[in-house]
């Protein structure tokens, strides 16, 4: 059985930063995540997309943010159970918890912090009869590595930011990009819509609206799609190497929804914004997975919530100790591996 001070469910940015804040308090963390690598959505869904609202970073790729967080928490030596989903939780007589994964791995901790983002994600798939035949053989529901599409004929379907942004991005590396949307109007940012229109005018994006993909063809891999114009029923045959329907993701809390936590609109309700504790003492919810009046689903808000959660967790673990917060600029950062980061001391010289 894996034992730790704080068991964090979800290894996205909020969960990772909680490791750092806990480490400053000399609390050990272990993280569980159903994905095979840390980083959550940033690593799995849009690692190459830029993020613009992280303080101190005018622009940072989502994957780079994850890399930086992993480097930041390295001195605190967190443990990871990856590729496994937190399945059940059992409260012990002393108030601690045992969390078991779908593969039977057990974890024991006095504090559980749920940082599962929006939960587990399932792509919204188009209703095409033979769609599953081409999954991993030309059909994908997210773009992990853009280089896969270099010099390929790519068809993207969708009308939101992801469809627009990836059409713009791939126009620079794919041999041909076609964007299909069932409406003439798009739901994405205005500047992205204008950029797509510019690329269409330049012949770099083939824009087909209003239309939808109605059939897929190919022997062992995808070779052709049939697109139907919805205004006049005209059918267009397109030779393609890849079809990427970007219709969004359906978030689900999964087994956590059955843990006796108070749920509101597919999010975990926290009792207050002092420490983001749930209705079960000792279980916290931080990041996009929680809800409270005034909630904003931003990474930087998750960082703030993780910080306050760790302070509360320290008091629960050490009720007889009074923690006096020290700024890292003063106290530095002492890792569990013996490393020490601190500002250089001023040199005082006497005047003779």
């Amino acid at each position: 059985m894996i034992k730790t001070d704080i068991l964090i469910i979800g290894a996205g940015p909020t969960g990772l930063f909680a490791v750092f804040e806990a480490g400053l308090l000399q609390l050990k963390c272990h993280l569980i995540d159903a994905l095979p690598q840390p980083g959550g959505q940033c690593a799995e869904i849009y690692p190459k997309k830029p993020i613009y609202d992280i303080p101190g970073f005018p622009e940072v790729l989502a994957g780079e943010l994850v890399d930086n967080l992993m480097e930041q928490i390295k001195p605190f030596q967190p443990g990871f159970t990856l590729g496994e989903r937190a399945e059940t939780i059992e409260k012990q007589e002393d108030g601690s918890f045992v969390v078991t994964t779908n593969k039977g791995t057990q974890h024991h901790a006095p504090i559980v912090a749920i940082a599962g983002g929006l939960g587990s994600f399932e792509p919204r798939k188009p209703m095409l009869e033979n769609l599953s035949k081409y999954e991993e053989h030309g059909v994908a529901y997210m773009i992990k590595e853009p280089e896969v599409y270099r010099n390929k004929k790519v068809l993207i379907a969708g009308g939101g930011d992801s469809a627009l942004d990836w059409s713009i991005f791939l126009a620079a590396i794919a041999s041909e990009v076609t964007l299909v949307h069932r409406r003439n109007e798009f739901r994405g940012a205005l500047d992205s819509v204008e950029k797509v229109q510019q690329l269409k005018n330049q012949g770099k994006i083939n824009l087909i609206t209003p239309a939808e993909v109605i059939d897929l063809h190919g022997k062992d891999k995808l070779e052709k799609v049939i697109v139907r114009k919805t205004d006049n029923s005209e059918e267009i045959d397109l030779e393609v190497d890849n079809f990427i329907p970007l219709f969004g993701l359906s978030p689900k809390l999964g087994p956590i929804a059955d843990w006796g936590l108070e749920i509101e609109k597919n999010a975990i309700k926290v009792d207050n914004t002092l420490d983001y504790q749930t209705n079960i003492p000792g279980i916290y919810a931080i990041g996009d997975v929680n809800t409270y009046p005034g909630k904003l689903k931003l990474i930087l808000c998750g960082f703030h919530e993780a910080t306050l959660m760790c302070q509360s967790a320290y008091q629960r673990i050490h009720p007889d100790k009074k923690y006096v917060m020290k700024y890292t600029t003063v106290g530095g950062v002492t890792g569990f591996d013996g490393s020490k980061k601190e500002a250089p001391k001023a040199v005082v010289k006497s005047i003779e």
Side-chain angles (χ1 to χ4, degrees):
M1 184 179 295
I2 297 170
K3 295 188 176 183
T4 190
D5 294 320
I6 301 178
L7 181 63
I8 302 172
I9 299 173
T14 295
L16 294 176
F17 188 69
V19 174
F20 177 78
E21 288 297 323
L24 294 180
L25 301 171
Q26 295 295 293
L27 298 177
K28 287 281 291 183
C29 291
H30 190 94
L31 300 93
I32 301 174
D33 202 296
L35 297 176
Q37 74 283 322
Q41 296 179 62
C42 288
E44 181 72 7
I45 301 176
Y46 49 86
K48 300 296 183 181
K49 289 193 72 173
I51 301 174
Y52 302 105
D53 59 356
I54 302 299
F57 289 90
E59 177 180 335
V60 61
L61 295 181
E64 290 179 0
L65 175 63
V66 172
D67 291 341
N68 290 341
L69 287 165
M70 290 295 290
E71 182 65 26
Q72 186 178 28
I73 66 176
K74 188 184 295 183
F76 300 118
Q77 301 176 318
F80 289 92
T81 298
L82 299 174
E84 300 184 30
R85 184 182 64 244
E87 196 82 11
T88 63
I89 188 168
E90 297 177 28
K91 192 168 186 177
Q92 307 301 295
E93 291 184 2
D94 62 356
S96 62
F97 303 92
V98 171
V99 174
T100 305
T101 70
N102 60 317
K103 295 185 179 180
T105 308
Q106 291 190 313
H107 310 74
H108 181 236
I111 300 293
V112 173
I114 301 171
L118 295 174
S120 58
F121 290 89
E122 295 180 4
R124 296 189 178 100
K125 301 180 181 182
M127 301 295 290
L128 297 173
E129 184 177 351
N130 57 349
L131 183 68
S132 60
K133 173 182 176 181
Y134 300 107
E135 290 176 348
E136 306 299 328
H137 299 285
V139 172
Y141 304 106
M142 61 184 70
I143 297 175
K144 298 180 183 179
E145 182 48 65
E147 280 298 316
V148 170
Y149 304 100
R150 182 170 292 278
N151 300 323
K152 298 292 181 63
K153 295 180 180 179
V154 181
L155 186 147
I156 294 176
D161 284 315
S162 292
L164 292 166
D165 292 346
W166 281 119
S167 295
I168 295 168
F169 188 94
L170 293 180
I173 63 173
S175 63
E176 183 178 300
V177 173
T178 300
L179 176 59
V180 174
H181 183 39
R182 59 195 177 94
R183 295 191 179 94
N184 289 318
E185 301 78 22
F186 288 87
R187 303 185 309 276
L190 180 59
D191 59 338
S192 297
V193 176
E194 293 175 346
K195 181 64 174 177
V196 165
Q197 186 63 49
Q198 292 173 7
L199 291 170
K200 176 198 172 186
N201 296 339
Q202 295 168 10
K204 296 181 179 179
I205 287 181
N206 181 24
L207 184 62
I208 307 178
T209 62
E212 59 184 347
V213 174
I214 61 170
D215 205 0
L216 308 176
H217 294 280
K219 187 177 180 181
D220 298 320
K221 62 182 182 63
L222 183 66
E223 298 172 2
K224 184 174 71 173
V225 302
I226 310 298
V227 176
R228 177 186 291 159
K229 294 282 299 258
T230 55
D231 54 354
N232 59 15
S233 298
E234 175 191 358
E235 293 189 2
I236 305 170
D237 291 8
L238 292 174
E239 291 185 3
V240 300
D241 299 302
N242 301 93
F243 172 43
I244 310 171
L246 297 175
F247 298 147
L249 300 167
S250 298
K252 295 183 179 180
L253 282 176
I256 292 175
D258 301 321
W259 286 7
L261 300 166
E262 189 173 355
I263 307 298
E264 182 178 292
K265 296 181 179 179
N266 205 42
I268 300 172
K269 188 175 180 180
V270 293
D271 288 348
N272 57 66
T273 55
L274 298 176
D275 58 9
Y276 306 98
Q277 195 161 193
T278 68
N279 59 303
I280 301 177
I283 301 181
Y284 299 78
I286 54 177
D288 287 355
V289 76
N290 75 14
T291 185
Y292 53 84
K295 169 69 179 182
L296 292 177
K297 294 183 182 294
L298 297 172
I299 292 176
L300 63 92
C301 293
F303 291 165
H304 164 78
E305 294 166 12
T307 304
L308 296 189
M309 178 277 294
C310 288
Q311 295 288 323
S312 176
Y314 181 88
Q315 294 301 321
R316 286 190 63 87
I317 295 173
H318 303 294
D320 299 327
K321 292 185 180 180
K322 183 177 181 181
Y323 174 74
V324 179
M325 191 186 80
K326 297 179 181 179
Y327 298 107
T328 55
T329 50
V330 176
V333 176
T334 302
F336 298 157
D337 57 0
S339 62
K340 175 74 173 179
K341 294 180 180 179
E342 58 184 337
K345 298 292 189 296
V347 178
V348 179
K349 293 185 178 179
S350 60
I351 298 177
E352 296 181 356

